[in-house]
Amino acid sequence: MKHNASAGYGNIYGTRSPRRRSRNDRRKLFVVTCLFICMVCVILDVIFIAKLMKKGKKEVTPTSVTASSVPLETDESGNVITPPETQQGESTEPSETTAAKVQTVDAATRSANLSALQTKITDYLTSQNGRYGVYYINMNNGETLGVKESDPIVAASSIKIAYNTYLYEKAAAGELTLDEKMKYNAAGYPQGDYEAGTGNIQNSADGTEYTLQEVSHRSITISDNCGTNMVLRRLGGEDAVNNNYLKTISAVVDYRSKVEYTDYAGNAQNGRRRTSAIDLAKYAEHLYKDYRGNETHYQPLIDDLCNTEYNWGVPGGVPGDVKVAHKVGFNTSYGANNDVAIVFGSEDYVLCVMTESGDAKKAQDIIAEVSKMVYEYVESNYA
């Protein structure tokens, strides 16, 4: 019998056995599965990286401010001013960058340094033309320094720091709420709220409603005169605020009493709405203590004071990363330029510098120079 070669070897080489075919199929399936898993991982990685890049791009995109979003304001004498640019997105919380510093001088050395600072400031102001008052209070250890701190000078808008602190104190006591609404009275002050000068509420229609929070915010940040008058109206008027609040804190110069003095030009002056460097500093000290006792409640007021449209004065004498809550005041008719501030440094302190010279730019530079002297003194005690 003949053998068919192709048939005889077909079982061995012509077809695969079921066992071998099953093994090869499993290998193919394993390879395909691995490739699929790798492709999925690559896709997921690409998606994740794309999201990170998109998020990073958003975080570094600056906020733009158009010229039309910043209204034109006027000074306290009715002159149009252009507000300085403000930095966007900057935190108004007190700086914590100096927390690690430690005091490096003993009490005797510090006392000598403080005495030297007083001499330095006195000599500097004596060399300038005009009248000046300075008062410094350290919030950490209570030390003080004064140079003609009791001399009467027109308060201007610096007094608004006290008005608004009193408003917040009333709110903290539950006697009013900052979200309650008031209607703007377009009649002239004191019968109504209208007063020309700084601010933009004066452009509102009679009866326009504002919350107390909003009028306080404008009173501080753009020194709105009408907003301040609305604050005063809610508190019972200037005399009520003076008797029930200002005089309970400090009244070396009574704000509502006529005072006589000789001005920077040698002319006899008398009138009300004068104050002194020590009085304004005491009002700022009062706010600081309120704030430290209830930071959540008073934070909006501190934020407003840290973000006013007026960056001259005390902030000009400290580094830009140091937070300064301050209220300037200026009156061109009397040649006054003032600033009262809370400086959050290695040691928190209050500084008030009042000037009367008739030269606004020079006065602002002088305030900044005194501020620099005080700041350097405080920081010189630390390392």
Side-chain angles (χ1 to χ4, degrees), residues 120-139:
K120 184 177 181 180
I121 293 175
T122 301
D123 290 346
Y124 172 69
L125 294 179
T126 301
S127 68
Q128 307 298 322
N129 295 321
R131 299 174 61 239
Y132 303 94
V134 176
Y135 202 69
Y136 151 83
I137 311 172
N138 190 293
M139 296 294 100

Side-chain angles (χ1 to χ4, degrees), residues 165-323:
T165 302
Y166 191 30
L167 181 74
Y168 270 76
E169 287 184 3
K170 288 281 192 180
E175 298 179 34
L176 55 82
T177 61
L178 293 173
D179 60 359
E180 69 178 66
K181 294 182 177 180
M182 293 184 70
K183 291 184 177 180
Y184 169 59
N185 185 337
Y189 183 81
Q191 287 72 31
D193 303 316
Y194 175 78
E195 184 176 346
T198 50
N200 50 29
I201 291 179
Q202 61 186 301
N203 302 321
S204 302
D206 185 43
T208 301
E209 286 191 333
Y210 296 93
T211 64
L212 278 176
Q213 181 82 59
E214 178 61 20
V215 296
S216 173
H217 170 75
R218 297 193 189 199
S219 171
I220 293 297
T221 58
I222 61 175
S223 204
D224 197 297
N225 289 334
C226 297
T228 301
N229 292 339
M230 293 172 76
V231 169
L232 285 172
R233 173 155 61 92
R234 185 61 182 85
L235 294 173
E238 279 186 287
D239 288 324
V241 173
N242 187 57
N243 293 330
N244 300 329
Y245 187 69
L246 299 182
K247 291 171 72 172
T248 67
I249 300 171
S250 183
V252 174
V253 176
D254 189 336
Y255 184 70
R256 295 296 292 157
S257 297
K258 284 188 177 182
V259 58
E260 296 181 355
Y261 62 99
T262 301
D263 68 13
Y264 71 97
N267 300 318
Q269 293 285 353
N270 70 85
R272 297 185 296 177
R273 292 183 174 177
R274 273 66 173 176
T275 188
S276 67
I278 189 171
D279 291 326
L280 284 177
K282 290 286 187 180
Y283 304 148
E285 177 189 35
H286 201 76
L287 168 58
Y288 179 86
K289 291 179 178 178
D290 283 344
Y291 173 57
R292 287 311 186 194
N294 188 350
E295 294 190 8
T296 300
H297 177 72
Y298 289 93
Q299 190 65 54
L301 179 54
I302 294 296
D303 288 345
D304 286 344
L305 290 163
C306 285
N307 292 282
T308 75
E309 288 190 346
Y310 307 98
N311 294 327
W312 56 266
V314 173
V318 303
D321 61 342
V322 175
K323 297 302 178 184

